Amino acid sequence: MRTTLIGIIMLATLATTGCENKSSDKASGTSSAVTAPGAKHAAVGVRPGSHADWCGEHQVPESMCTRCNPSLVAAFKATGDWCVEHNLPESQCLICNPELKIERPPLTGAAKP
Ligand SMILES: [Zn+2]
Ligand SMILES: [Zn+2]
C-alpha cells in the first residue's frame, strides 16, 4: 500500500518536472534564437554572407547595404553593378528587377568542419 502511494507521488512529480523542463526549454530556445529583439540591422563584426549579416530594413545583406553603408557605393559602381536611376546596386534593385529575390542566408549551426 505504502509503496504504491510513494510510487504514484514520484511518478506525478517526475511527470510535472518533465513538463516544466520541456516548456522552459522551449521558451529559452525561442528567446536565444532572436539575436537582438527589435534590432533591424546586423551587429558589428558579423561574418559577411552569414545569417546574422542581414539588413532587416532594406532586405539585403547588411554587408552589401549601400543605404546603411554609403561607402559601399563606390565598390558597386566599380564593378558596374549600379542602378543610377534608383541609386541602388542593380543586383538589389527590385524596381528594375521585380523578379529579383534576395534571400537571407539560412541560419547554420555554430559547429563548422
Ligand atoms: Zn540597410
Ligand atoms: Zn533600378
Side-chain angles (χ1 to χ4, degrees), residues 85-96:
E85 203 183 332
H86 302 115
N87 222 31
L88 276 174
E90 194 64 52
S91 61
Q92 293 174 16
C93 186
L94 294 165
I95 305 150
C96 290

Side-chain angles (χ1 to χ4, degrees), residues 21-33:
N21 277 349
K22 226 178 204 173
S23 61
S24 67
D25 270 355
K26 219 177 185 179
S28 66
T30 315
S31 61
S32 68

Side-chain angles (χ1 to χ4, degrees), residues 50-98:
S50 70
H51 178 79
D53 179 31
W54 188 252
C55 175
E57 194 177 341
H58 303 115
Q59 297 295 302
V60 293
E62 183 77 40
S63 62
M64 285 165 41
C65 185
T66 55
R67 285 154 286 188
C68 290
N69 308 296
S71 60
L72 296 169
V73 172
F76 279 100
K77 281 183 175 171
T79 57
D81 183 13
W82 191 251
C83 174
V84 179
E85 203 183 332
H86 302 115
N87 222 31
L88 276 174
E90 194 64 52
S91 61
Q92 293 174 16
C93 186
L94 294 165
I95 305 150
C96 290
N97 311 291

